[in-house]
Amino acid sequence: MVIAIDGPAGAGKSTVARTLAQQLGFTYLDSGAMYRCVALISRARPEVAAAELAKAARIELGGGTDAPATRPGPGSVVMLDGRDVTEAIRTPDISQAASQVAADPGVRTAIVARQRELIARGDWVVEGRDIGTVVAPHADLKIFLTADPQERARRRAAELGVDPGSVLEDMERRDERDAAREHSPMVAAQDALLIDTTGLEVQDVIGRIAQLARRLRADLGDAPAS
Ligand code: DC
């Protein structure tokens, strides 16, 4: 079973997706970490086409749904070509660079192929921008999380320990680029459930999605989720 969680930065995707995976016993996939890895190598090797780097990169996601949900960023360990880049891919600079590199159709083709291969078997909660539309259009459950920009900036700033004003501008720039790009823009799938998390407790959002997933599982006749 695949649950897709899409939406803009700071909408609560990471916390929701990771905790949900923990609760349901699914594997968590942070698709954005892959674009962040491509951005990082692309910075180091600007002379090579980003799509080539995306194809060749050895990206290992710690998968583990055991990282505490409150940790900034998705939390699990990310290895790139054998190097631990967990922290290096979370800087504001790499956030912008990831959004830029993610607009490259060659990069997307390479990364989407890997993501599809990963989630072909087993139960997954996948977070990103194009999961419900492109990576897993047949996902069993699609959620699009939003929240008003001020609140998203506040949450992001609290995670990073910085001023919300500085985060807001960066975040809006990134969201505009992610939503306006020609290839696989960030958009809610037609059959996605839209949840505006402004003013909601994250636990309530998780509870609601978990309930939907359990019901769906029961309808599908699978073993009941824990
Ligand atoms: O989810 P994140 O903030 O770690 O993602 C970083 C960037 O990667 C984001 O600004 C756009 C891109 N991205 C994407 O284009 N498609 C995805 N499925 C996930 C991320």
Side-chain angles (χ1 to χ4, degrees):
M1 178 164 169
V2 174
I3 302 178
I5 313 255
D6 289 301
K13 292 191 306 288
S14 301
T15 309
V16 168
R18 195 171 54 247
T19 312
L20 194 65
Q22 266 169 0
Q23 288 188 1
L24 297 171
F26 288 17
T27 310
Y28 162 65
L29 175 60
D30 168 15
S31 68
M34 294 182 158
Y35 293 99
R36 288 173 179 272
C37 282
V38 177
L40 195 69
I41 356 173
S42 199
R43 274 289 153 89
R45 304 188 59 196
E47 73 286 1
V48 184
E52 292 310 311
L53 296 172
K55 268 188 236 160
R58 215 160 24 90
I59 302 172
E60 296 159 84
L61 301 179
T65 53
D66 51 347
T70 48
R71 210 180 129 171
S76 32
V77 171
V78 179
M79 303 289 290
L80 172 60
D81 295 327
R83 184 164 71 97
D84 183 341
V85 295
T86 312
E87 306 289 329
I89 59 167
R90 300 288 162 200
T91 65
D93 183 40
I94 292 299
S95 296
Q96 292 301 333
S99 166
Q100 279 162 1
V101 97
D104 178 327
V107 169
R108 298 207 74 83
T109 303
I111 296 298
V112 168
R114 286 173 183 223
Q115 291 165 349
R116 286 187 177 150
E117 207 176 299
L118 271 174
I119 65 171
R121 278 165 298 280
D123 294 320
W124 294 84
V125 179
V126 190
E127 71 150 287
R129 304 290 188 290
D130 64 337
I131 308 305
T133 50
V134 176
V135 176
H138 303 299
D140 302 275
L141 183 57
K142 300 180 186 178
I143 308 288
F144 194 88
L145 290 185
T146 58
D148 77 40
Q150 308 290 341
E151 173 138 349
R152 292 194 286 115
R154 256 198 314 276
R155 291 180 190 162
R156 232 12 221 211
E159 275 178 6
L160 299 170
V162 297
D163 165 54
S166 65
V167 176
L168 181 64
E169 205 179 299
D170 267 14
M171 209 186 64
E172 290 192 317
R173 193 146 42 103
R174 191 147 71 96
D175 289 344
E176 269 165 34
R177 194 188 296 115
D178 294 344
R181 69 181 173 225
E182 191 181 339
H183 299 276
S184 315
M186 168 178 69
V187 65
Q190 281 192 343
D191 51 350
L193 172 69
L194 252 77
I195 304 181
D196 184 339
T197 66
T198 311
L200 295 182
E201 290 294 333
V202 71
Q203 288 309 329
D204 294 340
V205 177
I206 295 163
R208 189 168 160 203
I209 305 173
Q211 195 181 23
L212 287 172
R214 291 197 173 103
R215 215 178 286 156
L216 203 64
R217 246 202 164 177
D219 288 351
L220 292 172
D222 283 359
S226 55

